[in-house]
Amino acid sequence: MGMIGGSLEAFIGAVHRRGSQLDGEIELVCGAFSSNPEKSKATGEALYLNPSRVYGSYEEMILKEKELPEGERMDFVSIVTPNHVHFPAAKMALENGFHVVCDKPATLNLAEAKELKTIIDKSGLIFALTHNYTGYPMVKEAKAMVDAGDLGEIRKIIVEYPQGWLIDLVEATGQKQADWRTDPARCGAAGAIGDIGTHAENLVEYITGLHITELCADLTIFVDGRKLDDDGNILLHYNNGAKGLLHCSQICNGEENDLNVRIYGTKAGISWKQMDPNTLIVRTRDDGARIVRTNVGKLSANAMAHTRQPAGHPEGYVETFANIYRNFSMALRARWEGKEADPIYDFPGIEEGIRGMAFIENVVRSANDHQNKWTKFEI
Amino acid sequence: MGMIGGSLEAFIGAVHRRGSQLDGEIELVCGAFSSNPEKSKATGEALYLNPSRVYGSYEEMILKEKELPEGERMDFVSIVTPNHVHFPAAKMALENGFHVVCDKPATLNLAEAKELKTIIDKSGLIFALTHNYTGYPMVKEAKAMVDAGDLGEIRKIIVEYPQGWLIDLVEATGQKQADWRTDPARCGAAGAIGDIGTHAENLVEYITGLHITELCADLTIFVDGRKLDDDGNILLHYNNGAKGLLHCSQICNGEENDLNVRIYGTKAGISWKQMDPNTLIVRTRDDGARIVRTNVGKLSANAMAHTRQPAGHPEGYVETFANIYRNFSMALRARWEGKEADPIYDFPGIEEGIRGMAFIENVVRSANDHQNKWTKFEI
Amino acid sequence: MGMIGGSLEAFIGAVHRRGSQLDGEIELVCGAFSSNPEKSKATGEALYLNPSRVYGSYEEMILKEKELPEGERMDFVSIVTPNHVHFPAAKMALENGFHVVCDKPATLNLAEAKELKTIIDKSGLIFALTHNYTGYPMVKEAKAMVDAGDLGEIRKIIVEYPQGWLIDLVEATGQKQADWRTDPARCGAAGAIGDIGTHAENLVEYITGLHITELCADLTIFVDGRKLDDDGNILLHYNNGAKGLLHCSQICNGEENDLNVRIYGTKAGISWKQMDPNTLIVRTRDDGARIVRTNVGKLSANAMAHTRQPAGHPEGYVETFANIYRNFSMALRARWEGKEADPIYDFPGIEEGIRGMAFIENVVRSANDHQNKWTKFEI
Amino acid sequence: MGMIGGSLEAFIGAVHRRGSQLDGEIELVCGAFSSNPEKSKATGEALYLNPSRVYGSYEEMILKEKELPEGERMDFVSIVTPNHVHFPAAKMALENGFHVVCDKPATLNLAEAKELKTIIDKSGLIFALTHNYTGYPMVKEAKAMVDAGDLGEIRKIIVEYPQGWLIDLVEATGQKQADWRTDPARCGAAGAIGDIGTHAENLVEYITGLHITELCADLTIFVDGRKLDDDGNILLHYNNGAKGLLHCSQICNGEENDLNVRIYGTKAGISWKQMDPNTLIVRTRDDGARIVRTNVGKLSANAMAHTRQPAGHPEGYVETFANIYRNFSMALRARWEGKEADPIYDFPGIEEGIRGMAFIENVVRSANDHQNKWTKFEI
């Protein structure tokens, strides 16, 4: 693996490194950790990389690695930069024969995401998108329950993603995470909606298989001086007739990272919270509620395939990245061995990326339309 | 107290009786418990009432009681009938000199509520509306915190009221609670919105003092054969610029009675859940979270005035009715003694009733408008 | 009902009044609320009693009421005094033909409790002991599950009752609750063990039907100047071979009233917490966990018989007293009507009182024995 | 790092590998993964090790690695075998110049642990013991609070470790984890007490700095055919006068891995649960309760030094091992660089190992003594 972005001061780069290394299947062999060569070099040193494989730009890395003999050169790139670099870096990697793991959202805008799909399809290479929250065992279990019909027909879906870290103008303090996430040039047309709203949208679509058909959005910038939405409330209609709500925010004072979802069907309702990720509650009116827990009792094959510890030994955030990297490495290996990848070891790809970018653009379009109630979800 | 409605098979009548009797300040002396005289009589017997004061209709009760000597006749009526009887019964009671406690929502429609206010004002009598959920000590504490500025400027409000008891056509089975609550002639223009949505709206307005200025509603009837909404999702704008979400439902499979509210301000965020009513969580980004509990540590005078037990001895639903009845009886006593009522012992009245009826009508209007996004909140 | 003790400044008297009046089946007609006649009188006035039936002593009350005609005089006494008055008041009431409801623990010591049983048996009257915590619906459900064999053979029982209100010498401040509960002359041989440990012991014996056969106790007085234990840890052996732990404390800083119990059997384990009383968790290794909730789904007849509200409308502490008083009144009525009382409407009596007093004495004996490990549980 | 034990079918070996690799500071370079050379070889292959450094025994590994040039040979061994191999493997590694990380409990018995300390002291090498649960950030915070005096004088300590996986004779099914953990020859004198009770004991001593002075233990074998205790209840006295309870069990049906601790002092009480590890509750009688959370607000340097993610991104079990390995690697590096290790980056060593072995032996001695109540804690 070669990493693009992820210098020492970044947050998500270290997460990708830990996730990719957890299972001992992937080795970090090179990197272009920063557009600042000094920073890239310092990061490479801290990671004990061979200095000759620490590059000053991703372009350099891709070209130089390509010249290395097969078996020695990196097999794929991991892109962990701000959003605006996703597309050019992924494009160049794919066009030079490298598979790609990319942080979400896929690209800077929908057009790029569609173009990226064309490039991927043409390349025949593997592309993984780290919508990590669907990597939790209990999210896998929720999906398996929906697939098995345990919820009956789905009627109502509430998905929330409140955070509170941007209650004031953190970006003015030089805090790196806040800096680019609030800058349209680097993060795209939306703030909270792009950064966390897409996770919420992806989570629902992953579990239920439903698609949004129309929506009505109300976005707000609460903090003076901020350029992009820090709060959003959205009414949703799904393609089976279900109704939904999605809200996400970065100004919910004191909230940490409370992604959560409730899905109600004719037979049962389920709820799951990212901050208590090894618990899935299943409720029914007539038979009461069950607590489904990671590695307790009989669970779906999909849930078990993403569980590492015995019951009660908490698995958390880093394992969700590990699950994507592990599954991606299994897909690579299957390809090398000429086998079919096992669908139980799933991971998000460009289709999810396109839907996420479309979500952002449709939400922003709806929010900017103060007259018409419903905005058709267009891709 | 004389009760109108509340025969043995009703749910809310028994709640009012228990709440009114809990503190030993109020005595049930007469009743017209049903429009069916046999049922009324049977209820009166079960309640050990003097048979001569068990009436076949509220009209009879009001007129007969009025003829009794002062000190012997009932002091006030408690109206616990389906909604369509609220207005005529309250009107007749007031016009004959009896104070009124009335279940919510205030009336069948907004026009009646406004007219009722005129009648109340003219009568000079006391009218209490049993929006009971604001009677919990921790709701009082939340209001006191907002009033003291502990939350700073309020930015976002999420209020939810999911239930699951109407996931199928319960009203077709003869179940009495479902029967009238789904019948427009007896409950008004809305189903879930009127029955429980008004509690949610009232809870927010009580705690924050904010008013809705415009809204965008999406109501649904999920169960075939049902006549009124069993689910609603609403975007809200408040008069200080805060944004909000309200959703309520009676088809959230497995949910019991999960009224809950989260309010986020510039200084802190709070959350409260009716099903864990003695806990109020206060969160801040920079100083972490506190658990505020009924009768633990230093609390507001308002919270303490509505607490009966030492810490950790759960107070629940019946106490919320008791708080309204107790405060109403204190207001009556203050009047008799020519004193000012102490504002700490507050209870909802016709103003809250009017706002609740306006909420229903504005929501239904918005839901029926599939074109325009925002509906001004009009009273 | 005539009340003995329970003046305005007492805690438990008001609880008994509210509990007894909640269902409208019992009327407070007289009282000897304090050994101080002025206080008794003031309490009677505040409760709107006929002054002629507010007495200066329980002896006076019993004798005067006895002279009133049947149908007019009180039917039973409710004894809510400090412990040392329980026995003489109950004895006199019974010997003069009045049934008795008595707060726990039954008496000042085991000898009194045994004598009281003899008196009750001789009188043929009804005696109820307000071990109220077994009145919760989910405790009834737990008992029903054990009775049905759902837990299999019981192996381990952990019961806890931590409180924190006596972390310092509150009794020196004149606080009335602390005052008599820490005075051996009025509360008996134990402090925390008598006041709350007996609730814990009773809760386990009620749910499981098991009896303690031997125990090993470690009692402590943590607060200087205190005369009785404010903390206790006890190892227990039960008559079926189960092992147990009981600990109770009044110096667990910040704990409110956290009575809780966990019972593990060969087939399942259950847990219940008084501060979240409407929830019962049932766990199994192989089939995961269930959340059993008051009035949700199919519950035992016993649980349903002690439930007043629909699901999700919290029932709490006052209802546990109401359940004992309601059941006691049903037993009285059954007797008057010459019928058998329905065993579903159960309440604790003198047998539980004797076991509670024996528990106190055995624990104190064990705690005072620093040599021998196991103390046989003797009655 | 060279690993001793930890073949593919083992549980704890994979945990150590993941934990040691999470931060990219440690590389697994060799291993003797099983006493069965075929299994060892297969494990080495699966881990992509150089076959020449996959050994058939730890003796072979230690001797062969010693011959490799410095910089190439392993720096330390990680011992993840059943208990009976800990001592000989650690001894040989130390005597041949290799530092040691060892799973807990330290050895098969107390005598071995003491001898191991002598060997370590003589070698001047570093020894880490993976009592991993003290590696959680909120356990670090709890310790920091105690050290800062925030709890005042500690009075009462309750520590629990219930599991339910051994409710029947799992060891008879060939399940590898159960197999050796219930065999005295491989795990030592105690079952549950050694496997999990030592974690509970270590957790309390780590947070509070207190030592047990005497104890009274009740151990049970509930499952027919089992050779060692599967349940234990223990009364404890600490060296400051605090009283405690420790219970642990592997027959608590449905419990997963519920290590938890409550510590009550004169100023505050705290509680922490391993299954919700990023939350620490601090309670006071007079000022209510606080929720302290990983990476929220102002925390101790020690807690922050063991935190990898932003608030609300759950850190779990694997991070606790990573913390020990990371700190161990920092200590190694400090030594190589001739610096003092920073005490904030602490990890358990042989002192904790000796105390743990002494705990086991004292508990077993007390349990076997049915006459004397208190057993002095001897080392």
Side-chain angles (χ1 to χ4, degrees):
Chain A
M1 171 170 111
M3 181 164 272
I4 298 173
S7 71
L8 292 180
E9 68 198 42
F11 149 58
I12 205 69
V15 172
H16 280 252
R17 283 193 291 270
R18 289 191 182 109
S20 62
Q21 291 170 39
L22 190 69
D23 293 305
E25 295 288 324
I26 292 168
E27 189 183 0
L28 177 68
V29 295
C30 61
F33 300 104
S34 171
S35 50
N36 176 329
E38 289 309 301
K39 281 192 186 173
S40 186
K41 196 177 154 193
T43 302
E45 269 176 34
L47 299 172
Y48 308 107
L49 289 187
N50 182 335
S52 72
R53 296 178 78 178
V54 180
Y55 303 98
S57 72
Y58 69 80
E59 294 91 340
E60 184 193 356
M61 179 171 87
I62 290 170
L63 297 177
K64 290 266 180 70
E65 288 285 320
K66 196 182 178 183
E67 292 169 11
L68 294 177
E70 203 179 314
E72 193 173 322
R73 68 175 174 243
M74 66 179 185
D75 293 313
F76 69 94
V77 298
S78 169
I79 303 172
V80 298
T81 64
N83 303 346
H84 68 300
V85 182
H86 290 184
F87 177 74
K91 180 177 192 292
M92 184 171 175
L94 290 161
E95 292 179 345
N96 284 280
F98 294 105
H99 305 277
V100 172
V101 176
C102 184
D103 205 61
K104 47 56 58 186
T107 52
L108 199 63
N109 54 51
L110 177 57
E112 280 186 0
K114 288 179 177 173
E115 190 178 341
L116 185 56
K117 178 170 161 52
T118 305
I119 297 166
I120 294 166
D121 289 348
K122 195 169 153 194
S123 74
L125 297 170
I126 303 179
F127 177 87
L129 189 72
T130 53
H131 267 307
N132 65 296
Y133 294 115
T134 58
Y136 277 114
M138 288 301 95
V139 173
K140 305 290 187 188
E141 185 68 14
K143 177 181 172 52
M145 289 186 64
V146 171
D147 290 350
D150 294 350
L151 271 62
E153 189 184 351
I154 292 172
R155 287 169 164 175
K156 180 155 191 176
I157 300 167
I158 302 160
V159 63
E160 309 184 314
Y161 202 152
Q163 295 181 332
W165 65 300
L166 294 179
I167 52 171
D168 45 27
L169 205 63
V170 179
E171 56 266 49
T173 66
Q175 207 261 27
K176 193 181 156 71
Q177 302 315 315
D179 178 35
W180 73 260
R181 279 184 173 78
T182 58
D183 174 8
R186 286 177 285 170
C187 82
I193 289 294
D195 190 28
I196 57 177
T198 49
H199 275 306
E201 171 263 341
N202 176 256
L203 181 64
V204 170
E205 298 207 353
Y206 178 75
I207 295 175
T208 66
L210 297 177
H211 284 175
I212 300 165
T213 55
E214 56 184 11
L215 54 76
C216 174
D218 188 20
L219 301 190
T220 308
I221 300 174
F222 275 108
V223 175
D224 283 346
R226 185 158 290 156
K227 296 176 191 152
L228 292 168
D229 57 282
D230 47 26
D231 185 80
N233 300 321
I234 309 170
L235 305 177
L236 297 164
H237 288 171
Y238 288 94
N239 57 337
N240 75 331
K243 299 295 179 76
L245 271 181
L246 182 153
H247 67 90
C248 60
S249 184
Q250 292 166 325
I251 56 86
C252 285
N253 205 334
E255 295 291 356
E256 301 177 20
N257 192 46
D258 188 19
L259 173 64
N260 68 81
V261 65
R262 286 165 282 172
I263 302 170
Y264 299 101
T266 48
K267 291 191 187 168
I270 58 174
S271 64
W272 178 81
K273 289 170 175 289
Q274 193 271 149
M275 285 172 60
D276 183 18
N278 297 299
T279 299
L280 175 70
I281 306 290
V282 182
R283 291 186 180 84
T284 68
R285 181 188 64 182
D286 299 333
D287 295 312
R290 287 190 303 124
I291 307 171
V292 180
R293 293 266 311 160
T294 300
N295 220 344
V296 175
K298 295 156 201 75
L299 297 170
S300 66
N302 200 350
M304 290 309 299
H306 296 85
T307 300
R308 283 169 184 76
Q309 307 300 349
H313 298 68
E315 305 193 44
Y317 183 71
V318 77
E319 280 92 345
T320 64
F321 282 86
N323 283 340
I324 291 178
Y325 275 97
R326 194 265 319 257
N327 292 358
F328 175 81
S329 74
M330 291 175 75
L332 269 189
R333 183 177 307 275
R335 164 166 313 208
W336 292 334
E337 298 175 353
K339 297 180 184 163
E340 281 289 296
D342 184 338
I344 276 184
Y345 299 93
D346 61 347
F347 54 89
I350 189 60
E351 292 296 345
E352 287 79 0
I354 289 173
R355 293 200 63 79
M357 296 314 303
F359 175 74
I360 294 172
E361 298 206 353
N362 282 287
V363 166
V364 170
R365 193 155 50 90
S366 171
N368 288 338
D369 184 342
H370 300 283
Q371 299 307 317
N372 293 294
K373 192 166 182 174
W374 295 105
T375 294
K376 287 251 173 296
F377 191 92
E378 292 174 356
I379 299 187
Chain B
M1 171 171 111
M3 182 164 271
I4 299 174
S7 71
L8 291 180
E9 68 198 43
F11 150 58
I12 205 69
V15 172
H16 280 251
R17 284 193 291 270
R18 290 190 181 108
S20 61
Q21 292 171 40
L22 189 69
D23 292 305
E25 294 288 326
I26 293 168
E27 189 183 2
L28 177 68
V29 295
C30 62
F33 299 104
S34 171
S35 50
N36 175 329
E38 288 310 303
K39 281 191 186 174
S40 185
K41 195 177 155 195
T43 302
E45 268 176 32
L47 299 172
Y48 309 108
L49 289 187
N50 181 335
S52 72
R53 295 179 77 179
V54 180
Y55 304 96
S57 71
Y58 70 81
E59 294 92 341
E60 183 192 357
M61 179 171 88
I62 290 169
L63 297 177
K64 290 266 180 67
E65 288 286 319
K66 195 183 178 182
E67 292 169 11
L68 294 178
E70 203 180 314
E72 192 172 326
R73 69 174 171 245
M74 66 181 183
D75 292 313
F76 68 95
V77 297
S78 169
I79 303 173
V80 297
T81 63
N83 303 346
H84 68 299
V85 183
H86 290 184
F87 176 74
K91 181 177 193 290
M92 185 170 174
L94 290 161
E95 290 178 347
N96 284 281
F98 294 106
H99 306 276
V100 172
V101 176
C102 184
D103 204 60
K104 47 55 56 186
T107 52
L108 199 64
N109 54 51
L110 178 57
E112 280 186 0
K114 289 177 178 176
E115 190 177 342
L116 185 55
K117 178 171 161 51
T118 306
I119 295 166
I120 294 166
D121 289 348
K122 194 169 152 193
S123 74
L125 297 170
I126 303 179
F127 178 86
L129 189 72
T130 53
H131 267 307
N132 65 298
Y133 294 114
T134 58
Y136 278 114
M138 289 300 96
V139 173
K140 305 289 187 188
E141 184 68 13
K143 177 181 173 50
M145 289 186 64
V146 171
D147 289 350
D150 294 350
L151 271 64
E153 190 184 350
I154 291 172
R155 287 169 163 175
K156 180 155 190 176
I157 300 167
I158 302 161
V159 63
E160 310 184 315
Y161 202 153
Q163 294 181 332
W165 65 300
L166 293 180
I167 52 171
D168 45 27
L169 205 64
V170 180
E171 56 267 48
T173 66
Q175 207 261 26
K176 190 180 159 72
Q177 301 315 316
D179 178 34
W180 73 260
R181 279 184 173 77
T182 58
D183 175 8
R186 286 176 287 170
C187 82
I193 289 294
D195 190 27
I196 57 177
T198 49
H199 274 305
E201 170 264 340
N202 175 256
L203 180 65
V204 170
E205 299 207 352
Y206 178 74
I207 294 175
T208 66
L210 297 177
H211 285 175
I212 300 165
T213 55
E214 56 186 9
L215 54 78
C216 174
D218 188 19
L219 301 190
T220 309
I221 300 173
F222 275 108
V223 176
D224 284 346
R226 185 158 290 155
K227 294 176 193 154
L228 292 168
D229 58 282
D230 46 28
D231 185 79
N233 300 320
I234 310 171
L235 305 177
L236 297 164
H237 288 170
Y238 288 94
N239 56 336
N240 74 333
K243 300 296 179 75
L245 272 179
L246 181 153
H247 67 90
C248 60
S249 183
Q250 291 165 327
I251 56 85
C252 285
N253 205 334
E255 295 291 357
E256 301 176 20
N257 192 47
D258 188 19
L259 173 63
N260 68 81
V261 65
R262 286 166 284 172
I263 302 170
Y264 299 101
T266 48
K267 292 191 186 168
I270 57 174
S271 64
W272 177 82
K273 290 170 176 288
Q274 194 270 149
M275 286 172 60
D276 183 17
N278 296 299
T279 299
L280 175 70
I281 306 289
V282 183
R283 290 185 181 84
T284 68
R285 181 189 62 182
D286 299 333
D287 294 313
R290 289 191 301 125
I291 307 170
V292 180
R293 294 264 312 159
T294 300
N295 219 345
V296 174
K298 294 155 201 74
L299 297 170
S300 67
N302 200 348
M304 290 309 299
H306 296 85
T307 299
R308 284 169 183 75
Q309 307 299 348
H313 298 68
E315 305 192 44
Y317 183 70
V318 77
E319 280 93 344
T320 64
F321 282 86
N323 282 341
I324 291 178
Y325 274 98
R326 193 263 324 253
N327 292 359
F328 175 81
S329 74
M330 291 175 75
L332 269 189
R333 182 177 308 276
R335 163 167 312 212
W336 293 335
E337 297 175 354
K339 298 180 184 164
E340 280 289 294
D342 184 339
I344 275 183
Y345 299 93
D346 60 347
F347 54 88
I350 189 60
E351 292 297 344
E352 287 80 0
I354 288 173
R355 292 199 64 79
M357 296 313 303
F359 175 75
I360 293 171
E361 298 206 352
N362 282 287
V363 166
V364 169
R365 193 154 52 89
S366 171
N368 288 339
D369 184 342
H370 300 282
Q371 299 307 317
N372 293 294
K373 192 165 181 174
W374 296 106
T375 295
K376 288 251 173 295
F377 191 93
E378 293 173 354
I379 298 185
Chain C
M1 171 170 108
M3 181 164 272
I4 299 174
S7 71
L8 291 180
E9 68 198 43
F11 150 57
I12 205 69
V15 172
H16 279 252
R17 284 193 292 269
R18 289 189 181 110
S20 62
Q21 291 171 40
L22 190 69
D23 293 305
E25 295 288 326
I26 293 168
E27 189 183 2
L28 177 68
V29 295
C30 62
F33 299 104
S34 172
S35 50
N36 175 329
E38 288 309 302
K39 281 192 185 172
S40 186
K41 195 177 157 193
T43 301
E45 268 176 34
L47 299 173
Y48 309 108
L49 288 187
N50 182 334
S52 72
R53 295 179 78 180
V54 180
Y55 304 97
S57 71
Y58 70 81
E59 294 90 339
E60 182 192 358
M61 181 171 88
I62 289 170
L63 296 177
K64 290 266 180 68
E65 287 287 319
K66 195 181 178 183
E67 292 170 9
L68 294 178
E70 204 179 314
E72 193 173 323
R73 68 174 173 245
M74 67 179 184
D75 292 313
F76 68 95
V77 298
S78 169
I79 303 172
V80 298
T81 63
N83 303 347
H84 67 300
V85 182
H86 290 185
F87 176 74
K91 180 175 192 293
M92 185 173 174
L94 291 161
E95 291 178 346
N96 284 280
F98 295 106
H99 305 277
V100 172
V101 176
C102 184
D103 204 58
K104 48 56 59 186
T107 52
L108 198 64
N109 54 51
L110 176 58
E112 280 187 359
K114 290 180 178 173
E115 189 178 343
L116 185 56
K117 178 170 161 50
T118 306
I119 296 166
I120 294 166
D121 289 348
K122 195 170 152 193
S123 74
L125 297 171
I126 303 178
F127 177 87
L129 188 72
T130 53
H131 267 306
N132 65 298
Y133 294 114
T134 59
Y136 279 114
M138 288 301 96
V139 173
K140 305 289 188 189
E141 185 67 14
K143 177 182 172 52
M145 289 186 66
V146 171
D147 289 349
D150 294 350
L151 271 63
E153 188 185 352
I154 292 172
R155 287 170 164 175
K156 180 155 189 176
I157 300 167
I158 302 161
V159 64
E160 309 184 315
Y161 202 152
Q163 295 182 331
W165 66 299
L166 293 179
I167 51 171
D168 45 27
L169 204 63
V170 180
E171 56 266 48
T173 67
Q175 208 261 27
K176 191 180 158 74
Q177 300 316 313
D179 179 33
W180 73 260
R181 280 184 173 78
T182 57
D183 175 7
R186 285 176 287 169
C187 82
I193 288 294
D195 191 27
I196 57 178
T198 49
H199 275 306
E201 169 264 341
N202 177 255
L203 181 64
V204 170
E205 298 208 352
Y206 179 75
I207 295 176
T208 65
L210 297 177
H211 285 176
I212 300 165
T213 55
E214 55 184 11
L215 53 78
C216 172
D218 188 18
L219 301 190
T220 309
I221 299 174
F222 274 108
V223 176
D224 283 345
R226 185 158 290 155
K227 295 178 194 150
L228 291 168
D229 57 283
D230 46 28
D231 185 79
N233 300 320
I234 309 170
L235 304 177
L236 297 164
H237 288 172
Y238 288 94
N239 56 337
N240 75 332
K243 299 296 178 75
L245 272 180
L246 182 153
H247 67 90
C248 61
S249 183
Q250 291 166 327
I251 55 87
C252 285
N253 205 333
E255 296 291 356
E256 301 176 19
N257 192 47
D258 188 19
L259 173 63
N260 69 80
V261 66
R262 286 165 282 172
I263 302 170
Y264 300 100
T266 48
K267 291 190 186 170
I270 58 175
S271 64
W272 177 82
K273 290 170 174 289
Q274 192 270 148
M275 287 174 56
D276 182 17
N278 296 298
T279 298
L280 175 69
I281 307 290
V282 182
R283 291 185 179 84
T284 67
R285 180 188 65 182
D286 298 333
D287 295 312
R290 289 191 302 126
I291 308 170
V292 179
R293 292 267 310 160
T294 300
N295 219 343
V296 174
K298 293 156 201 77
L299 298 169
S300 66
N302 199 350
M304 290 309 298
H306 296 86
T307 299
R308 284 169 182 75
Q309 307 300 347
H313 297 68
E315 305 191 44
Y317 183 70
V318 77
E319 280 92 343
T320 63
F321 282 86
N323 283 340
I324 290 178
Y325 275 98
R326 194 264 322 255
N327 292 358
F328 175 81
S329 74
M330 291 176 75
L332 270 188
R333 182 177 309 277
R335 164 167 311 209
W336 292 336
E337 296 175 354
K339 296 179 185 166
E340 281 288 296
D342 185 338
I344 276 183
Y345 299 94
D346 60 348
F347 54 88
I350 189 60
E351 292 296 345
E352 286 80 0
I354 289 173
R355 292 200 64 78
M357 296 314 302
F359 176 74
I360 294 171
E361 299 207 351
N362 283 285
V363 166
V364 170
R365 193 155 48 91
S366 172
N368 288 338
D369 184 343
H370 299 283
Q371 299 308 317
N372 292 295
K373 192 166 183 174
W374 295 105
T375 295
K376 287 251 173 298
F377 192 94
E378 293 174 353
I379 298 186
Chain D
M1 172 169 109
M3 182 164 270
I4 298 173
S7 71
L8 292 179
E9 68 198 43
F11 149 58
I12 204 69
V15 172
H16 279 253
R17 283 192 291 271
R18 289 188 182 109
S20 61
Q21 292 171 39
L22 189 70
D23 293 305
E25 295 289 325
I26 291 169
E27 189 184 0
L28 178 67
V29 295
C30 62
F33 300 104
S34 171
S35 50
N36 174 331
E38 288 310 302
K39 281 192 185 172
S40 185
K41 195 177 156 193
T43 301
E45 270 176 32
L47 299 173
Y48 308 109
L49 288 188
N50 182 334
S52 73
R53 295 179 78 180
V54 179
Y55 303 97
S57 72
Y58 70 80
E59 294 90 340
E60 183 192 358
M61 180 171 88
I62 290 170
L63 296 177
K64 290 266 181 68
E65 288 286 317
K66 196 182 178 184
E67 293 169 11
L68 295 177
E70 204 181 314
E72 193 173 321
R73 69 174 173 244
M74 66 180 185
D75 292 314
F76 68 94
V77 298
S78 170
I79 303 172
V80 298
T81 62
N83 303 347
H84 67 300
V85 182
H86 290 185
F87 177 74
K91 180 176 192 292
M92 184 171 176
L94 290 161
E95 291 179 345
N96 284 281
F98 295 106
H99 305 277
V100 172
V101 176
C102 184
D103 205 59
K104 48 55 59 185
T107 51
L108 198 64
N109 54 52
L110 177 57
E112 281 186 359
K114 289 178 179 176
E115 190 178 343
L116 185 56
K117 178 170 160 48
T118 306
I119 296 166
I120 294 166
D121 289 348
K122 194 170 153 192
S123 74
L125 297 171
I126 304 178
F127 178 87
L129 189 72
T130 54
H131 267 307
N132 66 297
Y133 294 115
T134 58
Y136 279 113
M138 289 300 97
V139 173
K140 306 289 187 189
E141 185 68 14
K143 176 180 173 53
M145 289 186 65
V146 171
D147 289 350
D150 294 350
L151 272 62
E153 190 185 351
I154 292 172
R155 287 169 164 175
K156 180 156 190 178
I157 300 167
I158 302 161
V159 63
E160 309 184 315
Y161 202 152
Q163 296 181 331
W165 65 300
L166 293 180
I167 52 171
D168 44 29
L169 204 65
V170 180
E171 56 266 48
T173 67
Q175 208 261 27
K176 192 180 157 70
Q177 300 316 315
D179 179 34
W180 73 260
R181 278 183 174 79
T182 57
D183 175 8
R186 285 177 286 169
C187 82
I193 287 295
D195 191 26
I196 57 177
T198 49
H199 275 306
E201 171 264 341
N202 177 255
L203 181 65
V204 169
E205 298 207 353
Y206 178 74
I207 295 175
T208 66
L210 298 177
H211 284 176
I212 300 165
T213 54
E214 56 184 10
L215 53 77
C216 173
D218 188 19
L219 301 189
T220 309
I221 299 173
F222 275 109
V223 175
D224 283 345
R226 184 158 292 155
K227 295 176 193 151
L228 291 168
D229 58 283
D230 46 27
D231 185 79
N233 300 321
I234 309 171
L235 305 177
L236 297 164
H237 288 171
Y238 288 95
N239 57 336
N240 75 332
K243 299 295 179 75
L245 271 180
L246 182 154
H247 67 90
C248 60
S249 183
Q250 292 166 326
I251 56 87
C252 285
N253 205 334
E255 295 292 355
E256 302 177 19
N257 192 47
D258 188 19
L259 174 63
N260 68 80
V261 65
R262 286 165 282 173
I263 302 170
Y264 300 100
T266 48
K267 291 191 185 168
I270 57 174
S271 64
W272 177 81
K273 290 171 175 288
Q274 193 270 149
M275 286 173 59
D276 182 17
N278 297 298
T279 299
L280 175 69
I281 307 289
V282 182
R283 292 186 179 85
T284 67
R285 181 187 64 182
D286 298 333
D287 294 312
R290 289 190 302 125
I291 308 171
V292 179
R293 292 266 310 161
T294 300
N295 220 343
V296 174
K298 293 155 202 76
L299 298 170
S300 66
N302 200 350
M304 290 309 298
H306 295 86
T307 299
R308 285 170 182 73
Q309 308 299 348
H313 297 69
E315 305 193 44
Y317 183 70
V318 77
E319 281 92 344
T320 63
F321 282 86
N323 283 340
I324 290 178
Y325 274 98
R326 194 265 321 256
N327 292 359
F328 175 81
S329 74
M330 291 175 75
L332 270 189
R333 182 177 308 276
R335 163 167 312 209
W336 293 335
E337 298 175 352
K339 297 179 185 165
E340 281 289 295
D342 185 338
I344 276 183
Y345 298 93
D346 61 348
F347 53 89
I350 188 61
E351 292 297 345
E352 287 79 0
I354 288 173
R355 292 199 64 78
M357 295 314 302
F359 175 74
I360 293 172
E361 298 206 353
N362 283 287
V363 166
V364 169
R365 194 155 49 91
S366 172
N368 288 338
D369 184 343
H370 300 283
Q371 299 306 317
N372 293 294
K373 193 166 182 175
W374 295 105
T375 295
K376 286 253 173 296
F377 191 92
E378 294 173 354
I379 298 186

